[in-house]
């Protein structure tokens, strides 16, 4: 016995500390349960496809002879897939090694040997709790067609349809929404049951002895009652006596009430949950985005920045703690979430990875205190992410720099600088302004020099800018962090550098295409 | 003797920034405030005014043709009223105003402003450029605000014969005397990008203004060849 205990304990500690075992377990957990795991959707898709194939085979098998290979595929291959999935879920539902280790620690504390019987009963309790859950029962029934020789068991294929609930999130959402009205549905069910019960007995009493009436048994009367209260009314079973028709009228009225009540419960459940559903959807969308700009605070400047970024085909997420501002952002067609951008828990709830997903965090509240608070929160979560902030009062500039904000925009200073240039060089200013503004077709663009471009061009002289009616203002050399204005023909192009090109938008696009295509031509 | 003066209406952070930035370009900077208490400010020369002024003193004191007025009151309605008031009295005064939103921009243009700077729009535009085109923004900023050796200049063509009747499209501007010509402003005050279809069909004439970017020495050389640097009055340009 001691040897068995030792063996179980050694095996448990070994597995619990084994990296490869834990890695495998984590992988299967992610694949089966973690919605944020990138490969889960593919797994779900495979399972959904198998379910539909299985049902299609069942339908075809009703009228046509099936080939042996198809029957084999349906009965064994698909079932084995489901069986493996069921066993994996059973394995993942609770950790046996954890149970053993916890029990050992507990017993050690009390100065006695591990009690294996308690361990086994705990493990069995955990596993049976899963086995008897509705989802697990459906999973198990879906495997039953494995025993295809028993013709009756083929009908269990239909349970595979119920498995769809596991993979399609919208089904889960539907059940969760309806579950919020459990009491109302229960009341309705009670009411409908009482009406069905009373009316069935009444109609049976009044019609069963009438030779003309189609209602002869208690089953007929219950059938008639259910068909009538549901307002379906097939018309195959109808009361023949005046008393029976009187009962029918009462059941019809009760049926309308049941139907109206059901509709209103469903509608109100969805209305109440609508905001939550939308928010969850927005959070899910946000966590899936690969690269986006995060705008904290949605006021006038933020609004225009967001709309401009969207117009340029960028992805933007707005977070603001003010409900009305968030609603405004939503009306502007943006993904907006009502969370406090200055709170760490907001970023945790949103599952946003600041380092890998966010291109720039824009603190655009027209309030320096809020912007500093948000920037500090972001900086405490991520050291690398680029932060740009609006500064409303120059006296707070130092605080913003201290917070770790990378770029500060002070509107008053901008206006001062703009006016200086306005009064000096009007035409020149307008020319530069036109380049920066999106209100003209005349643009300045940055074109990154890639390996592909370098295959085609190595020197500035090879660029045919005049043909494409664009002006090469210069080259930004990334390594030297220096801008070379109007570079010489002999300037060597290097990977990672940028061309700064001026021209009409369409011509710049043509020029860019020419840079990319030349070698293939 | 009358001098060129920058007249700033409204005393706030915008007024201070504007005053600091234009002080080197004007003989005098005069700030007017609606608040009587601002008159005692020690750092700036501030005069009290109210919106019902008839501006007789202003006309007597300053050369309003050569001066430039900035309307930077924080309330858009007051700013519009002030602009109308100044324009109705002084037809030739150059008026530059700020506006909170695009709705006010249109109204200020109707009120007679030569140039309106939309605050929110401008800030948003600059922020967007900073994050979408950081290199271009930095380069243009350094050119415009002379933070590098690169300069931007307006050169008026006085020796069009130099071009021998060429059209802008015939010249490879990016390889021209070390400078880059960005746009050309014609006699009729319309401005076009150097490779735009309009500029393409326009023979270079005396009086045209080139907007050029380059190093100071190269710009001076170019200037010697074709003409001289010039200023363009807002009266001719903005409206």
């Amino acid at each position: 016995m001691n040897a068995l205990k030792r063996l179980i304990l050694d095996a448990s500690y070994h597995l619990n500390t084994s990296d490869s075992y834990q890695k495998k377990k984590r992988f299967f957990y992610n694949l089966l349960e973690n919605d944020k795991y990138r490969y889960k959707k593919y797994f779900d898709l495979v399972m959904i496809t198998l379910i539909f194939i299985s049902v299609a085979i069942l339908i075809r098998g009703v009228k046509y002879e099936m080939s042996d290979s198809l029957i084999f595929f349906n009965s064994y291959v698909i079932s084995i897939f489901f069986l493996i999935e069921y066993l994996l879920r059973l394995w993942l539902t609770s950790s046996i090694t954890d149970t053993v280790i916890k029990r050992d620690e507990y017993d050690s504390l009390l100065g006695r040997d591990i009690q294996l019987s308690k361990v086994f009963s705990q493990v069995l309790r955990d596993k049976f709790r899963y086995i008897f859950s509705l989802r697990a029962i459906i999973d198990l029934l879906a495997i039953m067609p494995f025993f295809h020789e028993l013709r009756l068991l083929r009908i269990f294929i239909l349970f595979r349809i119920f498995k769809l609930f596991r993979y399609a999130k919208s089904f889960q959402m539907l059940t969760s929404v309806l579950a919020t009205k459990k009491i109302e549905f229960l009341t309705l069910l009670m009411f409908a049951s009482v009406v069905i019960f009373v009316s069935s007995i009444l109609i049976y009493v009044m019609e069963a002895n009438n030779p003309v009436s189609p209602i002869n048994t208690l089953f007929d009367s219950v059938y008639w009652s259910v068909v009538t209260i549901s307002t379906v009314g097939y018309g195959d079973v109808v009361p023949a006596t005046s008393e029976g028709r009187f009962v029918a009228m009462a059941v019809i009225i009760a049926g309308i009430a049941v139907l109206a009540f059901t509709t209103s419960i469903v509608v109100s459940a969805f209305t109440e949950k609508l905001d939550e559903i939308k928010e969850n959807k927005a959070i899910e969308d946000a966590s899936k985005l690969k690269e986006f700009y995060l705008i904290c605070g949605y006021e006038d400047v933020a609004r225009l920045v967001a709309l401009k970024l969207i117009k340029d085909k960028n992805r933007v997420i707005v977070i603001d703690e003010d409900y009305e501002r968030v609603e405004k952002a939503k009306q502007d067609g943006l993904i907006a979430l009502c969370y406090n951008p200055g709170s760490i828990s907001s970023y945790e709830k949103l599952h946003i990875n600041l380092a890998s997903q966010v291109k720039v965090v824009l603190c655009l509240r027209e309030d320096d205190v809020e912007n500093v608070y948000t920037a500090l929160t972001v900086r405490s979560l991520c050291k690398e992410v680029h932060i740009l902030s609006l500064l409303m009062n120059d006296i707070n500039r130092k605080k913003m720099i201290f917070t770790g904000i990378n770029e500060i925009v002070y509107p008053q200073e901008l206006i001062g600088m703009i006016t200086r240039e306005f009064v000096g060089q009007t035409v020149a200013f307008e020319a530069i302004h036109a380049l920066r503004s999106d209100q003209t077709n005349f643009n300045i663009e940055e074109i990154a020099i890639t390996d592909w471009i370098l295959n085609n061009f190595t020197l500035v002289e090879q660029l045919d800018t005049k043909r494409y009616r664009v002006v090469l203002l210069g080259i930004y050399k990334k390594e030297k962090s220096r801008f070379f204005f109007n570079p010489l023909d002999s300037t060597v192009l290097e990977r990672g550098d940028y061309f700064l090109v001026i021209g009409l938008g369409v011509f710049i696009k043509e020029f860019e295409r020419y840079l990319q295509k030349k070698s293939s031509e | 003797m009358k001098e060129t003066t920058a007249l700033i209406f409204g005393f706030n952070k915008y007024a201070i920034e504007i005053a600091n930035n234009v002080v080197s370009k004007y003989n005098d900077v005069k700030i007017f405030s609606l608040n009587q208490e601002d008159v005692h400010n020690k750092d700036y020369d501030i005069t009290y005014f109210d919106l019902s002024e008839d501006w007789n003193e202003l006309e007597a004191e300053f050369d309003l043709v050569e001066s430039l007025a900035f309307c930077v009151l924080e309330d858009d309605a007051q700013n519009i009223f002030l602009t109308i008031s100044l324009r109705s009295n002084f037809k030739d005064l150059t008026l530059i105003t700020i506006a909170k939103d695009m709705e006010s921009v249109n109204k200020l243009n109707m009120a007679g402003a030569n140039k309106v700077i939309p605050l929110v729009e401008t800030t948003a535009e600059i922020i967007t450029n900073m994050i979408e085109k950081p290199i271009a923004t930095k380069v243009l900023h350094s050119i415009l605000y002379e933070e590098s050796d690169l300069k931007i200049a307006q050169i008026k063509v006085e020796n069009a014969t130099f071009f021998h009747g060429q059209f802008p499209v015939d010249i490879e501007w990016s390889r021209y005397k070390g400078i880059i010509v960005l746009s050309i402003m014609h006699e009729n005050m319309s401005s076009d990008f150097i490779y735009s279809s309009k500029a393409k069909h326009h023979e270079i004439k005396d009086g045209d203004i080139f907007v050029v970017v380059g190093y100071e020495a190269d710009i001076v050389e170019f200037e010697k060849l074709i003409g001289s640097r010039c200023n363009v009055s807002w009266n001719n340009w903005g409206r």
Side-chain angles (χ1 to χ4, degrees):
Chain A
M1 192 63 182
N2 279 341
L4 180 68
K5 279 182 186 174
R6 193 72 265 154
L7 187 73
I8 290 172
L9 273 174
D10 284 349
S12 298
Y13 277 105
H14 172 71
L15 289 176
N16 216 33
T17 52
S18 160
D19 280 348
S20 67
Y21 175 77
Q22 294 300 336
K23 210 171 155 185
K24 283 185 188 85
K25 194 168 181 180
R26 210 163 38 244
F27 167 75
F28 284 117
Y29 174 81
N30 285 333
L31 196 67
L32 295 170
E33 303 289 349
N34 185 0
D35 288 332
K36 285 171 187 69
Y37 187 57
R38 73 160 77 165
Y39 298 114
K40 184 179 184 294
K41 61 180 172 198
Y42 301 115
F43 173 78
D44 290 353
L45 207 65
V46 169
M47 298 308 276
I48 290 169
T49 312
L50 289 177
I51 290 168
F52 281 115
I53 292 172
S54 185
V55 173
I57 293 171
L58 172 76
I59 294 166
R60 193 174 162 75
V62 174
K63 292 234 172 180
Y64 303 95
E65 212 34 60
M66 304 291 288
S67 69
D68 287 346
S69 58
L70 216 54
I71 292 170
F72 176 82
F73 179 76
N74 189 30
S75 305
Y76 293 101
V77 179
I78 295 180
S79 298
I80 284 171
F81 260 101
F82 290 164
L83 178 66
I84 293 169
E85 187 209 4
Y86 180 81
L87 293 174
L88 283 172
R89 286 188 195 278
L90 188 64
W91 171 44
L92 293 169
T93 186
S94 62
S95 168
I96 297 175
T97 57
D98 277 351
T99 312
V100 173
I101 290 167
K102 268 185 198 156
R103 190 75 221 176
D104 181 49
E105 281 169 356
Y106 179 75
D107 287 338
S108 302
L109 208 67
L110 297 175
R112 64 187 183 204
D113 275 358
I114 185 168
Q115 293 179 289
L116 282 183
S117 58
K118 296 251 168 105
V119 172
F120 287 131
S121 67
Q122 181 63 48
V123 169
L124 286 176
R125 262 203 309 276
D126 291 343
K127 296 296 177 192
F128 275 115
R129 196 176 299 132
Y130 170 75
I131 289 168
F132 291 116
S133 68
L134 185 64
R135 284 176 163 204
I137 291 170
I138 291 171
D139 283 349
L140 190 66
L141 293 173
I143 303 166
M144 296 300 261
F146 194 38
F147 311 101
H148 69 285
E149 284 80 8
L150 298 169
R151 194 169 176 82
L152 180 70
L153 290 183
R154 286 188 191 177
I155 207 68
F156 282 109
I157 284 177
L158 285 178
F159 278 95
R160 291 181 178 177
I161 294 284
F162 292 120
K163 267 173 80 69
L164 283 175
F165 281 82
R166 198 188 266 289
Y167 310 112
K169 283 202 107 184
S170 48
F171 287 141
Q172 290 170 21
M173 195 183 71
L174 179 77
T175 31
S176 74
V177 168
L178 295 180
T180 60
K181 295 282 171 185
K182 216 174 351 186
I183 296 168
E184 288 85 340
F185 278 117
L186 206 64
T187 314
L188 184 70
L189 189 70
M190 290 296 291
F191 172 72
S193 306
V194 169
V195 173
I196 290 167
F197 180 71
V198 173
S199 61
S200 307
I201 291 173
L202 279 175
I203 205 84
Y204 180 73
V205 170
M206 286 162 192
E207 299 271 323
N209 285 330
N210 190 329
V212 191
S213 173
I215 299 166
N216 296 314
T217 63
L218 196 59
F219 179 76
D220 287 342
S221 64
V222 172
Y223 169 74
W224 170 85
S225 205
V226 172
V227 168
T228 308
I229 201 168
S230 66
T231 72
V232 173
Y234 290 125
D236 53 343
V237 179
V238 288
T241 64
S242 301
E243 295 83 354
R245 284 177 185 152
F246 183 79
V247 174
M249 284 192 284
V251 176
I252 288 167
I253 291 164
I256 293 167
V258 168
L259 198 73
F261 195 30
T262 312
T263 314
S264 71
I265 291 172
V266 174
V267 170
S268 72
F270 272 96
T271 315
E272 283 165 23
K273 280 268 186 177
L274 199 62
D275 286 341
E276 201 184 313
I277 293 166
K278 278 185 184 170
E279 191 171 302
N280 287 340
K281 179 83 177 65
I283 291 172
E284 204 186 311
D285 290 347
S287 61
K288 279 181 190 165
L289 291 180
K290 279 184 185 160
E291 267 194 334
F292 59 86
Y293 291 104
L294 182 67
I295 295 183
C296 303
Y298 197 72
E299 287 172 281
D300 292 342
V301 173
R303 180 172 179 267
L304 284 187
V305 170
L307 295 179
K308 277 176 199 290
L309 289 172
I310 291 283
K311 196 178 157 198
D312 295 339
K313 298 188 171 58
N314 291 296
R315 292 189 174 110
V316 174
I317 290 177
V318 175
I319 52 171
D320 196 316
E321 59 188 329
D322 185 271
Y323 178 77
E324 282 179 14
R325 288 199 292 260
V326 169
E327 282 304 300
K328 202 175 165 197
K330 284 179 184 169
Q331 282 165 14
D332 289 334
L334 300 161
I335 300 177
L337 300 156
C338 194
Y339 283 90
N340 179 4
S343 160
I344 289 177
S345 65
S346 302
Y347 300 93
E348 287 167 355
K349 280 179 201 158
L350 297 173
H351 306 292
I352 291 175
N353 186 331
L354 289 163
S356 63
Q357 284 182 287
V358 179
K359 277 163 112 175
V360 180
V361 176
L362 298 143
C363 303
L364 299 182
R365 281 293 309 277
E366 285 157 31
D367 181 334
D368 289 344
V369 177
E370 292 290 338
N371 285 339
V372 166
Y373 189 55
T374 300
L376 199 63
T377 307
V378 171
R379 199 43 89 218
S380 71
L381 287 167
C382 181
K383 297 271 176 271
E384 304 89 47
V385 70
H386 196 85
I387 307 177
L388 181 148
S389 176
L390 202 58
L391 172 69
M392 300 311 289
N393 194 337
D394 200 34
I395 208 160
N396 296 320
R397 189 185 288 270
K398 271 187 188 170
K399 295 167 194 116
M400 287 203 168
I401 295 169
F402 184 76
T403 311
I405 292 170
N406 304 84
E407 282 180 286
I408 295 167
V409 177
Y410 180 45
Q412 284 87 345
E413 183 186 43
L414 290 177
I415 300 302
M417 289 168 88
I418 286 169
T419 48
R420 185 178 74 194
E421 208 50 38
F422 267 167
V423 298
Q425 304 196 91
T426 317
V427 185
F429 183 87
E430 285 296 332
I432 296 282
H433 179 68
L435 284 179
R436 292 198 295 203
S437 158
D438 54 4
Q439 285 163 5
T440 61
N441 297 324
F442 178 38
N443 293 330
I444 181 162
E445 291 294 341
E446 296 169 5
I447 302 174
I449 302 178
T450 57
D451 285 334
W452 184 252
I453 292 177
L454 287 177
N455 287 338
N456 305 330
F457 308 91
T458 49
L459 296 171
V460 167
E461 67 178 356
Q462 295 164 325
L463 306 169
D464 199 357
T465 49
K466 194 187 163 199
R467 185 178 147 207
Y468 287 90
R469 292 201 231 159
V470 293
V471 171
L472 178 67
L473 189 68
I475 296 178
Y476 179 78
K477 290 273 179 193
K478 203 180 171 189
E479 263 189 25
K480 294 174 186 159
S481 294
R482 210 179 135 196
F483 178 67
F484 288 85
F485 169 73
N486 201 6
L488 297 170
D489 285 344
S490 56
T491 307
V492 178
L493 305 177
E494 287 169 296
R495 187 170 171 265
D497 294 349
Y498 284 86
F499 291 128
L500 277 197
V501 181
I502 296 173
L504 285 167
V506 279
F507 291 142
I508 294 179
K509 277 215 172 81
E510 279 300 314
F511 179 65
E512 214 172 336
R513 250 177 244 143
Y514 154 76
L515 292 179
Q516 310 278 0
K517 274 186 187 169
K518 200 196 166 192
S519 71
S520 53
E521 278 169 359
Chain B
M1 190 188 144
K2 288 179 178 178
E3 302 172 317
T4 56
T5 311
L7 308 164
I8 302 172
F9 294 89
F11 183 62
N12 48 36
K13 284 175 197 156
Y14 292 106
I16 293 169
E17 287 291 337
I18 292 170
N20 292 342
N21 276 286
V22 300
V23 70
S24 59
K25 309 223 172 193
Y26 284 85
N27 292 332
D28 189 18
V29 176
K30 192 90 183 160
I31 299 177
F32 296 85
S33 173
L34 282 170
N35 190 348
Q36 215 149 14
E37 286 169 19
D38 292 338
V39 174
H40 307 297
N41 190 299
K42 287 173 189 163
D43 299 327
Y44 298 92
D45 177 15
I46 299 169
T47 309
Y48 171 74
F49 83 105
D50 73 63
L51 290 168
S52 57
E53 290 263 1
D54 54 10
W55 309 112
N56 290 336
E57 283 176 30
L58 198 72
E59 199 170 13
E61 202 177 334
F62 304 104
D63 175 359
L64 294 177
V65 177
E66 290 300 316
S67 297
L68 191 128
F70 294 95
C71 303
V72 293
L73 297 174
E74 283 187 17
D75 185 291
D76 275 355
Q78 286 185 340
N79 229 10
I80 291 168
F81 190 84
L82 173 68
T83 307
I84 290 176
S85 171
L86 289 168
R87 176 59 67 222
S88 60
N89 283 287
F90 313 113
K91 200 170 97 350
D92 297 324
L93 175 66
T94 303
L95 282 167
I96 297 179
T97 70
I98 61 167
K100 282 202 181 74
D101 49 40
M102 289 311 280
E103 190 186 320
S104 300
V105 170
N106 294 336
K107 287 177 187 164
L108 282 160
N109 278 326
M110 284 167 69
N114 296 85
K115 181 75 190 173
V116 185
I117 308 170
L119 297 176
V120 175
E121 188 85 17
T122 307
T123 311
E125 208 157 74
I126 285 169
I127 290 174
T128 319
N129 282 331
M130 278 168 81
I131 56 175
E132 283 194 303
K133 298 174 189 171
I135 300 166
T137 306
K138 217 178 269 179
V139 170
L140 291 181
H141 188 89
S142 66
I143 293 173
L144 202 52
Y145 303 115
E146 298 174 7
E147 287 170 3
S148 70
D149 297 334
L150 279 176
K151 302 272 180 288
I152 187 160
Q154 297 163 178
I155 314 275
K156 192 172 186 179
V157 180
E158 287 162 355
N159 178 23
T161 51
F162 176 80
F163 294 104
H164 309 294
Q166 279 181 299
F167 288 83
V169 75
D170 301 327
I171 304 164
E172 192 169 354
W173 292 103
S174 59
R175 292 278 155 271
Y176 204 79
K177 312 283 179 199
I179 52 111
I180 286 179
V181 179
L182 289 184
S183 64
I184 181 166
M185 186 182 182
H186 312 305
E187 279 170 322
N188 63 1
M189 293 297 152
S190 66
S191 176
D192 294 308
F193 171 56
I194 201 69
Y195 285 141
S196 72
S197 30
K198 268 192 206 166
K200 202 167 83 172
H201 300 294
H202 174 91
E203 191 184 331
I204 300 167
K205 289 177 191 161
D206 283 347
D208 287 347
I209 297 169
F210 287 135
V211 174
V212 302
V213 181
Y215 293 103
E216 183 62 29
D218 294 332
I219 294 176
V220 170
E221 280 300 309
F222 186 62
E223 213 181 312
K224 278 180 197 163
L225 288 173
I226 67 150
S228 62
R229 285 189 212 205
C230 72
N231 281 329
V232 177
S233 165
W234 275 103
N235 282 337
N236 301 324
W237 171 257
R239 293 171 74 193

